Amino acid sequence: MAALSLGMPAIRRSPSAAPSIEGRPDVAGLVDRFGRVARDLRVSITSACSLRCTYCMPAEGLPVIPRDELLSADEIARLVGIAVRDLGVHEVRFTGGEPLTRPDLVEIIALSAAAAPGTPLALTTNGIGLDRKAQALADAGLSRVNVSLDTLDREHFTRLTRRDRLPRVLDGIAAAHRAGLGPLKVNAVAMRETLHDAPALLAWAIDHGCRLRFIEQMPLDADEQWKRDNMVDADELLEVLGERFVLEPVGRDDPSAPAEEWLVDGGPATVGIIASVTRSFCAACDRTRLTAEGSVRSCLFGDDETDLRGMLRGGADDATIADRWRAAMWGKQAGHGIDAADFVRPVRSMGGIGG
Ligand code: SAM
Ligand code: SF4
């Protein structure tokens, strides 16, 4: 196994030796040893970002990935095509880092839409720069966006993201609405510093036609400050929201949906909570991931990565690449194991994997 250096400890990467597939049934889809089937593809396209959220990036940002190590727009589209056509993927989401920092994002969407006609293409973004690109992205074939926004308090936003850019995010959300990139979801990481901003954020989201989902903070911050006994969990968040709203649980939209939904003040508005830590949904996980350098990563918390970029550039055909992807998925781990005594944080932080 070769080591991939990101200015951090080594990531286990399998460039040539195919992972073992002993016992794998002969099916086309991305099945694993625990009976799960991956149908949701997350594609990270960069680790660069316009913000430095404390729960994700270090203050100085992640080391820059040299341009020739990033997948090109054509390479991304080819892998999206293989995933959808040969491996049963139903939905593709582009993420990062901040995907809007890639100057060829519109091209990536257009080529991916052509490679996988009819497949929903979504984007997770911090919204900065979306005001200028939303319409072009929609025209290129993007179906919807999720914008990350943790607080409407400008000072709190600046402290949490280490950048004074709240108005740019709000401009981006308005532009996404105008371009019809909905239903627009807003993702907020539940943090102690912004916990008491949560009710105002929910009221704003309802007023602005956004579906708000809070996410429990996972131990994926580059600064390694996350502590299990200090994180805001779903129960504490519900208590704070409950001071202003009447919340009624309505369950999940579907079993593999990560967010549990609550009806707000009798509805029709809802709020979602993704309790990734305290109510792990690993048993129903249906994700497969590609890193910006073109490796399959089956789990946020698993450092094993399988290189596809080398195969793409070495002339491998689609069927061979699809087989390698299937083998990678067969080795997916059971769960994140955050509560296990022997839990070890992954080497990459969230911005380096793609959330
Ligand atoms: N830059 C884009 C953004 O912020 O939406 C896309 C990449 S970001 C890594 C994707 C999602 O991961 C965001 O919604 C972000 O809030 C979330 N995220 C980042 N670090 C996290 C952490 N430690 N725990 C939980 N969610 C996290
Ligand atoms: Fe950037 Fe998104 Fe990470 Fe914030 S969460 S630092 S916006 S990649």
Side-chain angles (χ1 to χ4, degrees):
M1 284 194 181
L4 169 71
S5 168
L6 275 177
M8 295 179 284
I11 287 169
R12 291 185 295 280
R13 206 169 183 210
S14 328
S16 49
S20 161
I21 54 161
E22 206 182 303
R24 186 187 182 281
D26 186 17
V27 292
L30 290 171
V31 296
D32 70 26
R33 287 169 298 153
F34 304 97
R36 297 169 297 189
V37 185
R39 297 198 174 88
D40 177 350
L41 168 61
R42 304 277 152 130
V43 186
S44 174
I45 59 173
T46 180
S47 61
C49 191
S50 44
L51 298 179
R52 297 284 184 272
C53 306
T54 54
Y55 47 71
C56 176
M57 290 264 175
E60 67 281 11
L62 291 170
V64 175
I65 303 173
R67 179 116 192 78
D68 65 338
E69 290 181 18
L70 286 174
L71 290 185
S72 68
D74 281 313
E75 289 170 334
I76 291 169
R78 182 162 166 216
L79 291 178
V80 165
I82 292 171
V84 169
R85 213 178 36 248
D86 301 332
L87 299 172
V89 161
H90 287 179
E91 174 164 356
V92 181
R93 174 171 296 278
F94 298 94
T95 180
E98 176 45 50
L100 283 161
T101 63
R102 260 201 72 158
D104 57 352
L105 178 61
V106 172
E107 191 190 355
I108 291 172
I109 299 297
L111 293 174
S112 299
T119 303
L121 301 181
L123 183 73
T124 298
T125 171
N126 64 27
I128 295 170
L130 194 54
D131 50 345
R132 289 195 294 266
K133 291 261 177 77
Q135 191 58 55
L137 289 167
D139 294 345
L142 187 68
S143 318
R144 52 182 170 266
V145 295
N146 288 2
V147 180
S148 303
L149 172 62
D150 305 313
T151 175
L152 293 167
D153 180 306
R154 190 161 173 171
E155 217 181 290
H156 291 177
F157 179 96
T158 305
R159 217 174 302 147
L160 201 62
T161 65
R162 303 177 173 116
R163 297 287 186 273
D164 181 13
R165 295 201 176 137
L166 175 63
R168 299 287 319 274
V169 178
L170 299 178
D171 289 348
I173 291 175
H177 275 302
R178 284 195 301 276
L181 289 169
L184 208 144
K185 290 183 186 165
V186 167
N187 294 339
V189 179
M191 296 293 285
R192 195 145 299 286
E193 302 90 305
T194 48
L195 177 58
H196 292 281
D197 303 340
L201 186 62
L202 177 54
W204 176 90
I206 294 170
D207 280 353
H208 289 76
C210 299
R211 294 179 61 184
L212 178 63
R213 294 116 43 94
F214 289 96
I215 309 170
E216 282 181 348
Q217 187 200 2
M218 293 180 276
L220 291 169
D221 55 318
D223 296 339
E224 305 201 3
Q225 293 302 303
W226 180 92
K227 288 197 176 52
R228 181 73 167 84
D229 54 8
N230 187 42
M231 60 166 281
V232 176
D233 63 17
D235 290 342
E236 188 174 3
L237 180 66
L238 283 167
E239 212 176 290
V240 170
L241 292 174
E243 288 165 12
R244 177 150 165 196
F245 302 98
V246 177
L247 302 173
E248 267 173 78
V250 287
R252 297 181 196 274
D253 288 349
D254 78 68
S256 65
E260 290 177 71
E261 300 286 335
W262 273 261
L263 213 56
V264 180
D265 288 343
T270 56
V271 62
I273 300 188
I274 302 179
S276 341
V277 176
T278 61
R279 299 176 205 170
S280 146
F281 39 86
C282 298
C285 179
D286 67 347
R287 293 196 184 151
T288 177
R289 297 172 184 276
L290 283 173
T291 66
E293 303 99 326
S295 289
V296 176
R297 187 172 171 116
S298 300
C299 175
L300 276 176
F301 288 87
D303 279 332
D304 277 315
E305 296 185 356
T306 300
D307 177 42
L308 299 185
R309 187 189 66 202
M311 299 181 78
L312 285 172
R313 295 185 185 173
D317 62 14
D318 287 4
T320 310
I321 292 172
D323 271 344
R324 181 62 56 85
W325 203 328
R326 289 185 189 103
M329 184 55 56
W330 186 242
K332 177 166 172 156
Q333 64 196 53
H336 58 47
I338 291 173
D339 282 331
D342 59 352
F343 172 69
V344 181
R345 294 173 57 113
V347 169
R348 291 189 194 249
S349 59
M350 187 64 124
I353 304 170

